[in-house]
Amino acid sequence: MLPPLFAWIRGYNRADLSADLLAAVIVTIMLIPQSLAYAMLAGLPPETGLYASIVPLLAYACFGSSRVLAIGPVAIVSLMTASAVAPVVEAGLADAPAAALTLAALSGAALIIMGLLRLGFLANFLSRPVISGFITASGLLIAAGQLRHLLGVGGGGDTLPEILASLCARASEIHALTLVMSLAVLGFLWLSRSRLRAWLLCAGLSPALAAACARAAPVLAILGTILAARLLGPGAQGLALTGAIPPGLPVPGLPPFAPALVLALAPAACLISLVGFVESVSVASTLAAKHQQRIEPDQELMGLGAANIAAAFTSGFPVTGGFARSVVNADAGARTQAAGVFAACGLTLATLFLTPLLADLPRATLAATILIAVLSLVDLPALRRVWRYSRGDFAAMLTTILVTLGYGVEPGITTGVALSLFLHLWQTTRPHSAVVGQVPGTEHYRNIERHQVSTCPGVLSLRVDESLWFANARFLEDRVAALTAGRPGLRHVVLMCPAVNRIDSSALASLEEINRRLRAASIRFHLSEVKGPVMDRLKRTAFVDQLSGEVFLSHHEAICQLCPPSLAADQPRLTEGAA
Amino acid sequence: MLPPLFAWIRGYNRADLSADLLAAVIVTIMLIPQSLAYAMLAGLPPETGLYASIVPLLAYACFGSSRVLAIGPVAIVSLMTASAVAPVVEAGLADAPAAALTLAALSGAALIIMGLLRLGFLANFLSRPVISGFITASGLLIAAGQLRHLLGVGGGGDTLPEILASLCARASEIHALTLVMSLAVLGFLWLSRSRLRAWLLCAGLSPALAAACARAAPVLAILGTILAARLLGPGAQGLALTGAIPPGLPVPGLPPFAPALVLALAPAACLISLVGFVESVSVASTLAAKHQQRIEPDQELMGLGAANIAAAFTSGFPVTGGFARSVVNADAGARTQAAGVFAACGLTLATLFLTPLLADLPRATLAATILIAVLSLVDLPALRRVWRYSRGDFAAMLTTILVTLGYGVEPGITTGVALSLFLHLWQTTRPHSAVVGQVPGTEHYRNIERHQVSTCPGVLSLRVDESLWFANARFLEDRVAALTAGRPGLRHVVLMCPAVNRIDSSALASLEEINRRLRAASIRFHLSEVKGPVMDRLKRTAFVDQLSGEVFLSHHEAICQLCPPSLAADQPRLTEGAA
């Protein structure tokens, strides 16, 4: 697997350049407030958000496979970072920015190892109900966590009960000016998100200009509130401000690797890698499909891993492919990863020249930006849709939401994954099977409980509809025992295996046991419609030799031989099955 | 679920009585040395082995469903008891007999809870390779652990490396008289097991008497070595003896339930319950099948749970249904659980009157009894059989053996279960699927890579051979994307679902995504041969309405409609697939 190092450079032309440059300008404007806001969400100094959006973008451009994915801090990974870093800081192992660097390095290493070992399939074990429940719950947690900034009170908390209790306890401390400014910014952002574009179009602006202005709204909110804070004078009447941001670019440096720190952060790093990977891949494949491109999941792991390593060495924190920024990038016409490189340049300029301006930025403005962004993640109606379709999936989703809200992000996602796996395994412990009979006049055999079919009294035909493995093998033994008990006239049992793709050692032992027991009761045991690869494997064992009956290619062949029409003279060959 | 309290009493007659009495005598004779030996193996005073064989037998007779299962201490559960109790004793939480009582109570409670919640299916997750590897490794561990008794040296250890290292360190302390006696007993037991019966038959004894004598051999060894020890005089020349056994019956009493003790023993209790249940159920169902009876797994849980609770209250330790004793019981002609009740009476008499005799029993004799019994559990050739059949099962089995030998019984079985589940899940992440074509002249559709079939150029028929769920859904998306890429003439994709028993929410989302992507490429997406229950569920969603194509009852119907013979005039309708 060669890294697609700047694969997009080949054939790069003037048209690509101008498209990418335009997209980069739009993305840069959007990323400045977002980067600051997500750094605050992760509990880190605001400049780390800008740093995390520069070099990781370049690293992904070298190793990633998507052409339009925009890498940087995203809401859920920032929340997970905050929740992973907090206990480490509390235990005195490191300060928050240092712990975030180690976390990014570990997460990058986990992604690269998964990529090298082609373990991308592990992400498949995060089922959609679990992911969707986790995203909804994280959105609610993030929104609740921003309330204190919007109200100008202190407090904290990692879970919904903690956050709400902390807010209630400080309800008397609400800072009126902060609240007024928060409501103004929230109203402005909400209107610009839902209405501004239509108004500007009505006002006669070109669609492209209208869209660009609507997207620039957060920047306007930032500029407006900075201006307001400056007008309020030094101290800004108690408004919480971002404070001085060190000017200049991040100094590259090694993240701390104390063993205790690494051990404490490793589980969270693995979860962050998985969640970040799933989020990034689903964004990337949606966008790729729209543009008739394809992405390579294992290559994506390498790209994301490189981006996180880059973040770890340049004072950032864990990053991944973001939905909003990637969509904006694609919509703005980005054609290659050059757009990402240009956006990185834009953010570098911002870091160099705009930071003095940002010292007076009210924190409430950033909180409002986050709140508006994450509320679009909350999808509670999905609960009702999933409930209607599958009770098991609903249980997994609801559990993920409740545990995430009540106990935090890590217990939430691990409980969700464990529960969905358990439910799946539990459902597979009973193999689907059906007693079948012949549809009269055809060679088709169908479930006697659902179709009008004929059966032969001396022959029991049992169709198995799943691969046989250790968890469902014993149920097959029981099923055969129950079906053959109390049928003295029974001479043959035929197991029809059209849907059996695998028979593992445990299931083979069960088949041997069934064969032994039926033989003791003078009943012959046959198989029919065994798939080629399964038969090849069975032939390597003693089972086929010990089998009291035969293996038939088609079930009809089995019935013709075991219940020949000649018998029809002696006994009523075919009896009608249930309708 | 009503307990089958002495269900066997109804219709009990004289013939049953004499058969059961005879079986009880034979089993009692066999159980005396076995009970003492397994108590020693569990690291407990020898009398606890006798106690554990009395009341638990009665409790099982009340609640269990097997008529011939004999309950009591067994080798593997005794080993697991020793390994669970040792750390608790070391931590000073309780002495060994008290901890064993708590362990039995917890294990009984776990079994009863599993029975009430009908969780017997959990035992299915112990696959046969894991169980078989675990039994082999436990047999080796037990055998190695007996060597120090056979050599008359001290030492200990819970894992094979520890045991061997401890033996090597004490090689100079080997007690010659103990070694001689050990070899004599081993030789005698081995001969009586393999040859004695044949010799007695040659000597003119009746087959029943010959078998009974052969089975009484361990009792002869015990009597012989007690005599030898007495002849050696007080101190028995340094031979390690069993020592004084308190006479009389166990005094019923509550096991200790200190929270720290319960917490420390709970995980081991759960594992012991599961392993004991699997061992017991497999013995019981083998014997039941032989006598055309059936056992109820959930009822078995209640019976075993009651037996363990009984053991906890009468100075015993964890028990389960033993293979050897149950087979002997069945062979000796036991017809009902009355045989168990009579054997309990026999053991009570032994406990009352034979214990003074047993004080002079050399420990080496018990060790030899254990060694001969457990070596029959070791089945290393199974490794080769499993290797030939399935590499994955082999990996699970070998890992279970190595981890059990190297790290002990609990890590061994948990690693085995986790690995076998992981391997199973990993295999199911790629759904079996095949592009199919029409077998000329029939309505059958087969894999184009395995059969000579014809296909229609504008139609892609993909058969899925497994239920679709979250771990394999994304692979289906990828498969369709790969198959449709670069086929500009493609107009229809038909997903043939004859083996799809379930489509979970994640897989439904994947199908929606496939539909969306194909629609964007102007390809219609159809389904065929969807099973009734799956279709019922799909109809509750928006998917069927959004589907760009149709749902066909049979795949042939789909092909007839999408690739009608009339098209054959304009284009070569059927192309030959690969052979």
Side-chain angles (χ1 to χ4, degrees), chain B residues 41-43 76-89 103 141 157-159 265 268 272 407-411:
Chain B
L41 174 54
I76 289 179
V77 168
S78 300
L79 175 70
M80 292 179 84
T81 300
S83 131
V85 162
V88 166
V89 172
L103 191 65
L141 267 188
D158 289 327
T159 67
L265 291 174
I272 288 178
Y407 297 92
V409 285
E410 288 174 33

Side-chain angles (χ1 to χ4, degrees), chain A residues 137-231:
Chain A
S138 301
L140 289 173
L141 268 187
I142 294 172
Q146 298 313 308
L147 290 179
R148 63 190 163 104
H149 297 296
L150 294 173
L151 300 174
V153 301
D158 288 327
T159 68
L160 198 60
E162 283 172 22
I163 293 172
L164 296 183
S166 155
L167 281 179
C168 289
R170 292 159 189 262
S172 59
E173 300 169 19
I174 292 176
H175 188 252
L177 182 61
T178 306
L179 180 59
V180 169
M181 176 168 284
S182 300
L183 289 176
V185 175
L186 279 175
F188 172 71
L189 288 176
W190 182 77
L191 282 178
S192 66
R193 212 178 166 97
S194 59
R195 304 281 166 81
L196 187 63
R197 196 170 156 180
W199 289 345
L200 292 174
L201 282 174
C202 288
L205 264 72
S206 76
L209 195 58
C213 286
R215 261 185 217 121
V219 175
L220 286 181
I222 284 181
L223 292 177
T225 51
I226 289 175
L227 195 68
R230 292 208 166 166
L231 289 177

Side-chain angles (χ1 to χ4, degrees), chain A residues 121-129 278 282 285-286 289 292 294 297 386 388-391 393 420-422 424-429 432 443-444 450 463 465-467 469-472 474-475 477-478 481-482 485 499 501-506 508-510 513 517 520-521 531-533 536-538 540-541, chain B residues 121-129 131 278 282 285-286 289 292 294 297 386 388-391 393 420-422 424-429 432 443-444 450 463 465-467 469-472 474-475 477-478 481-482 485 499 501-506 508-510 513 517 520 531-533 536-538 540-541:
Chain A
F121 75 89
L122 282 179
N124 295 343
F125 289 109
L126 292 173
S127 72
R128 298 216 190 199
V278 169
S282 60
S285 27
T286 305
Q292 275 86 46
R294 289 200 67 193
V386 170
R388 276 218 306 269
Y389 187 66
S390 157
R391 300 296 184 269
D393 285 343
S420 54
L421 276 179
F422 174 81
H424 170 74
L425 289 171
W426 180 72
Q427 281 177 331
T428 58
T429 52
H432 282 238
E443 298 186 5
H444 293 299
R450 286 187 159 244
R463 190 189 67 213
D465 294 344
E466 292 190 42
S467 287
W469 62 294
F470 57 85
N472 67 17
R474 272 176 250 237
F475 279 98
E477 280 181 49
D478 288 349
N501 299 307
R502 270 188 308 277
I503 295 180
D504 77 358
S505 302
S506 309
L508 178 67
S510 284
E513 186 62 27
R517 292 188 193 164
K531 294 196 174 185
D536 292 349
R537 181 166 280 200
L538 284 181
R540 296 209 298 266
T541 70
Chain B
F121 75 90
L122 283 179
N124 295 342
F125 288 109
L126 293 173
S127 73
R128 299 217 189 197
I131 285 283
V278 169
S282 61
S285 29
T286 304
Q292 276 85 45
R294 289 199 66 193
V386 170
R388 278 218 306 269
Y389 187 67
S390 157
R391 300 296 184 270
D393 285 342
S420 54
L421 276 179
F422 174 80
H424 169 75
L425 288 172
W426 180 72
Q427 282 176 329
T428 59
T429 51
H432 281 238
E443 298 187 3
H444 294 299
R450 285 187 159 245
R463 190 188 68 214
D465 294 344
E466 291 190 44
S467 287
W469 62 294
F470 58 85
N472 67 18
R474 271 175 252 237
F475 279 98
E477 280 181 50
D478 287 351
N501 299 307
R502 270 188 308 278
I503 295 179
D504 77 357
S505 303
S506 309
L508 178 68
S510 285
E513 186 62 28
R517 292 186 193 166
K531 293 196 174 186
D536 293 348
R537 183 166 278 201
L538 283 182
R540 296 210 296 269
T541 69

